[in-house]
Amino acid sequence: MDLTFSEEQDELRKVVRSFLTRHATEADVRRLAADPTGYDPVVWRRMATEIGLQGLAVPEKYGGSGFGYVDLGVVFEETGRALLCAPYFATVALAAETLLRCDDERARDDLLPGIASGETVATLALTEESGRWDEAAIRLTAHDEAGGWRLTGVKTYVLDGHLADLLLVAARTPSGVSLFAVESGAPGLARTPLPTLDQTRKQARVEFTNTPARLLGPEGAAWAALERTLAAASVLLAAEQVGGAVAALDAAVEYAKIREQYGRPIGSFQGIKHKCADMLVEIESARSAAYGGLWALDAGDEAETAISAALAQAFCSEAFTKVAGDNIQVHGGIGFTWEHPAHLYLKRAKSSEVLLGTPSYHRELLAARLGI
């Protein structure tokens, strides 16, 4: 396993960081968190046209650049560092991954070019009222009516579901869990934004009332593809969490250098030194877990990916939350204020901790996949 980055990947990181430094400032994050849509369409288009982020890991035959998962992990680490407010995770880590892994070449030909070009905002609608990410939790039903499929039921906690042009929906048919594509203007589709702790990442409740949908892949055979998608998304989320944790540590260290107590910087006190050192240990361990998952994805080892994904989410979720909380502790009273950005990272950490299942859920998955 080679966990070093190539010169091209280092340059990719520089390009993405430079772009986000200009277009995902703290002021931008606060503005978009308060905006009902939650993203800037102009910046979204520039992400696609100037640096090709939406199509980075999409194969060239579908309009993408054909890069690997380690490259994509670099991008997610940087978007996490900047708290990017955009439907990037929903579109790339969830929707594009689902299309790449489902058994439907025609759907890939039809739908992936729009995602790669930035014209299509897409998401995966999987979770329902239980909030669980497993096969048994899928209750929304699909029935074949006069040659066309119709969906009835509710999905909730759908990332960027209020604005997505394309929704990929997991539904239950007589043959089992199946995957469907629903366009944003479909009749019987109702979308309601949800109030959430982390307003930098929007979620929605989506209701389907006899809504027309397109079946993707064979009926009843979608869960295997969805399971692989969730493993890949878990690894990419872990990379994003590492980026957020790094930003929190950087902020803590910088503050410890300039904030003085008793005539000396607080960073000179043993308690602050040890806290920052512990934060660094958490981050380096989380980085190893995330990078290991990215390597497994690029190697195409599904068994290793499944194990690495569960490990990465179980560890990185808690690591980000701990580091974000410790950042507030280092800042003291000012860290608890609305005006300081520390709370934005803690809220992102807490929402990410349950986004694809809690750490305890992923520990259960890890134990099951290891056969213990």
Side-chain angles (χ1 to χ4, degrees):
M1 182 186 300
D2 182 4
L3 297 183
T4 60
F5 291 106
S6 66
E7 290 184 12
E8 290 80 6
Q9 288 162 343
D10 288 335
E11 185 60 29
L12 173 64
R13 185 184 298 278
K14 291 178 183 178
V15 169
V16 175
R17 183 173 296 187
S18 175
F19 181 90
L20 296 177
T21 298
R22 288 178 283 121
H23 300 296
T25 65
E26 181 188 340
D28 293 325
V29 171
R30 290 181 180 273
R31 173 176 58 85
L32 294 172
D35 189 303
T37 62
Y39 85 117
D40 186 334
V42 174
V43 173
W44 179 255
R45 286 194 296 272
R46 293 184 68 177
M47 287 169 60
T49 58
E50 293 182 12
I51 48 180
L53 295 188
Q54 288 90 323
L56 187 72
V58 173
E60 293 182 16
K61 65 178 179 178
Y62 305 123
S65 302
F67 282 68
Y69 285 99
V70 173
D71 306 287
L72 196 56
V74 168
V75 174
F76 273 103
E77 193 172 346
E78 291 303 311
T79 62
R81 182 177 180 273
L83 289 184
L84 174 68
C85 293
Y88 190 70
F89 189 86
T91 300
V92 174
L94 292 176
E97 276 298 311
T98 300
L99 288 170
L100 287 169
R101 293 171 186 278
C102 77
D103 185 14
D104 195 325
E105 183 64 20
R106 183 177 176 184
R108 284 190 282 275
D109 287 334
D110 293 345
L111 302 175
L112 280 174
I115 289 176
S117 69
E119 296 176 5
T120 302
V121 174
T123 191
L124 173 65
L126 191 148
T127 53
E128 301 183 12
E129 297 295 350
S130 68
R132 289 161 46 199
W133 290 84
D134 55 47
E135 183 178 10
I138 298 173
R139 301 295 184 188
L140 184 143
T141 59
H143 63 279
D144 195 357
E145 182 179 286
W149 287 93
R150 303 276 176 162
L151 305 182
T152 299
V154 175
K155 294 291 184 181
T156 192
Y157 315 116
V158 180
L159 286 187
D160 301 301
H162 63 302
L163 59 87
D165 305 303
L166 171 68
L167 294 98
L168 304 181
V169 186
R172 194 166 291 278
T173 69
S175 300
V177 174
S178 304
L179 184 66
F180 296 88
V182 176
E183 301 293 337
S184 60
L189 178 67
R191 305 186 284 182
T192 306
L194 294 173
T196 58
L197 171 69
D198 175 22
Q199 285 299 300
T200 68
R201 178 172 270 155
K202 307 296 186 181
Q203 299 183 23
R205 175 184 173 89
V206 184
E207 298 181 48
F208 303 86
T209 306
N210 205 35
T211 304
R214 171 184 175 180
L215 177 66
L216 304 182
E219 180 192 348
W223 182 250
L226 288 169
E227 199 168 33
R228 293 193 294 271
T229 295
L230 293 177
S234 292
V235 174
L236 295 172
L237 179 60
E240 183 190 277
Q241 289 166 322
V242 169
V246 169
L249 173 60
D250 288 347
V253 170
E254 183 61 28
Y255 186 74
K257 290 178 180 178
I258 62 174
R259 178 71 168 98
E260 292 190 357
Q261 286 282 2
Y262 307 110
R264 52 193 281 202
I266 63 173
S268 65
F269 296 117
Q270 189 177 65
I272 299 297
K273 287 181 181 179
H274 286 185
K275 186 172 288 292
C276 290
D278 289 343
M279 293 165 72
L280 179 60
V281 170
E282 288 285 335
I283 288 171
E284 291 305 315
S285 298
R287 180 178 277 124
S288 294
Y291 290 179
L294 293 170
W295 175 85
L297 281 167
D298 264 347
D301 187 332
E302 290 191 8
E304 183 63 31
T305 295
I307 292 170
S308 297
L311 173 63
Q313 263 310 290
F315 192 89
C316 294
S317 290
E318 292 181 339
F320 186 15
T321 296
K322 183 181 186 308
V323 171
D326 285 348
N327 178 38
I328 290 177
Q329 292 294 318
V330 170
H331 278 83
I334 194 174
F336 286 87
T337 65
W338 179 258
E339 291 76 18
H340 198 276
H343 72 94
L344 297 173
Y345 285 90
L346 182 60
K347 290 174 180 176
R348 173 63 73 88
K350 294 302 293 183
S351 71
S352 297
E353 189 174 333
V354 298
L355 179 59
L356 298 178
T358 64
S360 60
Y361 168 74
H362 284 282
R363 280 192 286 269
E364 290 176 5
L365 284 181
L366 179 59
R369 289 165 179 172
L370 291 173
I372 57 176

